[in-house]
Amino acid sequence: MSEDVTITVRGSHEDRIPAEEGVARVGVRVEHPDRGEAMARLAASGQRLRDQLDAQEGSGGLVSWTSSRAHVFTDRPWGADGSRLDPVHHASLEFRAVFDDADALSAWIDTATADPAVQLDGIDWRLREGTDREARDRVARAAVEDAVARARSYAASLGLHHVSAIEVADAGLLSSDSATAGPMMMKSAAADGAVVVRPDEVVVSVGVEARFSAR
């Protein structure tokens, strides 16, 4: 009787799902020669943003929002002649706002960035927790099915018909002589900062490695 043949394969699957939430990253940044004036302008712009977000909570579309503590630093820029100029004080705040409605997000960005101190740093698109979990499970099962199909195909090409699983793991977790691939991941591209935003598709991608015995 011939010895069993060991087959090691990589399985993968990817799904693209319309994003359900957009996380806007907004910065408030002020610079001024007078530290007190820089802080006052930062406080005023920051309070306007908080008021806008509070109002948005009552009109829908906004899931949640947070803001950081104020950050201040001072530097002395160099002049064109190489001399050090007077100190400039830089004050900043960061906001994160989660929206589940792209139109509401667009409208808020339009209002918020009317203040020259406010800048949109980017938008991260994501799925809700439940959708994310279901998508990962579904894509992982499909990746394993892909690995099984590959193993059976290899076995058939060798004239073997009985295939049994020995090991199955996330990509990179089998022994060093097995194939390598990226781990399970979820990624999304940030919006380009336009006032009218459209949700990106969220890519849920899973890679697995599996070892089979065939006879």
Side-chain angles (χ1 to χ4, degrees):
M1 180 179 295
S2 61
E3 294 184 357
D4 290 357
V5 174
T6 299
I7 299 174
T8 303
V9 295
R10 177 191 304 160
S12 62
H13 190 73
E14 170 179 297
D15 201 359
R16 295 176 177 270
I17 306 169
E20 296 174 316
E21 294 180 341
V23 184
R25 294 176 281 108
V26 173
V28 185
R29 301 180 181 91
V30 175
E31 59 180 52
H32 198 275
D34 181 81
R35 189 178 190 279
E37 182 62 22
M39 292 300 296
R41 294 186 181 187
L42 180 71
S45 293
Q47 189 57 53
R48 277 194 293 271
L49 267 184
R50 293 187 184 93
D51 291 342
Q52 292 165 5
L53 289 165
D54 285 339
Q56 187 67 46
E57 285 184 324
S59 59
L62 178 64
V63 176
S64 64
W65 65 274
T66 58
S67 64
S68 69
R69 301 178 66 175
H71 177 68
V72 185
F73 72 93
T74 303
D75 69 353
R76 294 189 64 186
W78 294 94
D81 59 358
S83 62
R84 296 300 293 269
L85 304 179
D86 292 337
V88 176
H89 304 279
H90 305 263
S92 63
L93 277 172
E94 305 297 329
F95 284 78
R96 289 172 59 89
V98 182
F99 284 78
D100 60 7
D101 182 281
D103 291 336
L105 174 56
S106 298
W108 176 71
I109 291 172
D110 192 25
T111 300
T113 55
D115 184 337
V118 177
Q119 297 176 344
L120 175 65
D121 293 333
I123 301 174
D124 301 316
W125 298 103
R126 69 186 190 186
L127 303 174
R128 297 188 184 94
E129 183 177 351
T131 307
D132 177 27
R133 183 171 54 252
E134 292 173 0
R136 289 175 182 272
D137 289 345
R138 181 178 66 254
V139 173
R141 288 193 298 270
V144 173
E145 291 169 358
D146 181 49
V148 172
R150 288 171 183 265
R152 287 175 174 167
S153 177
Y154 291 158
S157 69
L158 297 173
L160 306 173
H161 304 288
H162 300 285
V163 178
S164 300
I166 300 173
E167 293 180 276
V168 179
D170 286 343
L173 295 184
L174 284 186
S175 53
S176 59
D177 62 341
S178 57
T180 58
M184 180 184 300
M185 63 182 177
M186 176 177 173
K187 60 186 179 180
S188 61
D192 61 6
V195 172
V196 178
V197 298
R198 292 290 180 266
D200 285 343
E201 289 184 325
V202 175
V203 180
V204 182
S205 179
V206 176
V208 300
E209 292 169 1
R211 184 168 288 128
F212 298 84
S213 175
R215 66 173 64 180

